[in-house]
Amino acid sequence: MFPSDFVYEFFTLLVILDPIATVPVFLAVTYGLPWREALKVALAALSVAFGILTAFIFLGLEFLKVLDIPTPSFQLAGSFILFTLGLSMVTGKMHEEIAKMPANASIMERSIYPLAMPSIAGAGAILTVVMLSDNNARVMAEQLQTTFVVLLCLSIHLATFMAGGLIIRYVGMIGIQVITRVFGLMICSIAVSGMVIAIKESFGI
């Protein structure tokens, strides 16, 4: 079980949520939007991600138990989904999918997939908050602390998203595609690592 320490939880979640890695996805889904509209997409995506992570903080472990899903199996499935996202970024398919999005797409249509989930609230983040807020060992105050840490980390996401607007001015869409492919490769690597860990835990290796 992870220690219930504010600093430990903050840095653990900051690394797992990785605000920098989600910037290319944000830039792709908001390309061509006015600054105010891009801000609305960022806030909507972060609100959805916060809702998902908060739900798993308080109910996640019980949810997995009710469905009889071992955490390694959940991690393996989530890592596979994350891998497909990374692969779509590397091959450019993500940009193709986003390009098909109608110009009048709503804020929620732009913010939920692939930004809010699985880019922000992915399998790694969900499993981490479940472990940090273990329903069997944590009191309500400790779970509220984890919730606050999540909120703090997501506020850093917002800052990086807004800073990302400066990037697009200098690199343009071609630059974004290059950055997206590089980060896609990193995401694929993280996903494969998650799969290996899940498989090892499943077979007790």
Side-chain angles (χ1 to χ4, degrees):
M1 182 177 67
F2 293 156
S4 179
D5 176 78
F6 181 86
V7 175
Y8 176 86
E9 289 191 8
F10 173 73
F11 283 105
T12 298
L13 280 170
L14 188 64
V15 170
I16 295 296
L17 287 167
D18 197 353
I20 303 300
T22 55
V23 170
V25 181
F26 171 73
L27 294 178
V29 299
T30 58
Y31 184 74
L33 290 181
W35 185 86
R36 288 182 180 275
E37 293 300 303
L39 177 60
K40 290 179 182 179
V41 172
L43 291 173
L46 292 171
S47 297
V48 171
F50 179 71
I52 293 171
L53 294 175
T54 301
F56 273 93
I57 285 174
F58 293 98
L59 303 171
L61 200 59
E62 296 303 320
F63 177 72
L64 295 179
K65 285 181 178 179
V66 168
L67 296 179
D68 196 24
I69 301 175
T71 51
S73 298
F74 184 80
Q75 182 178 3
L76 183 60
S79 296
F80 178 76
I81 294 173
L82 189 62
F83 180 81
T84 60
L85 172 65
L87 190 61
S88 70
M89 293 171 68
V90 172
T91 60
K93 288 185 177 180
M94 189 189 76
H95 283 281
E96 293 176 4
E97 292 177 5
I98 293 173
K100 294 177 182 177
M101 188 179 296
N104 60 347
S106 67
I107 297 299
M108 293 306 293
E109 287 176 323
R110 292 179 181 273
S111 63
I112 293 179
Y113 177 85
L115 186 55
M117 190 175 186
S119 296
I120 302 173
I126 291 173
L127 276 175
T128 301
V129 298
V130 168
M131 295 298 102
L132 287 171
S133 57
D134 186 347
N135 300 115
N136 296 325
R138 303 296 191 209
V139 297
M140 179 64 70
E142 291 173 317
Q143 293 177 330
L144 289 174
Q145 173 183 284
T146 303
T147 305
F148 177 73
V149 171
V150 169
L151 185 61
L152 186 60
C153 290
L154 292 182
S155 68
I156 296 175
H157 268 78
L158 180 61
T160 58
F161 286 167
M162 294 302 96
L166 299 175
I167 298 174
I168 200 170
R169 294 181 185 178
Y170 296 100
V171 302
M173 193 59 186
I174 294 177
I176 292 174
Q177 291 179 353
V178 172
I179 295 172
T180 300
R181 282 172 166 80
V182 172
F183 276 96
L185 182 60
M186 295 172 61
I187 289 174
C188 284
S189 301
I190 293 171
V192 170
S193 177
M195 290 180 190
V196 172
I197 292 173
I199 291 172
K200 285 183 176 180
E201 290 184 358
S202 296
F203 292 96
I205 300 175

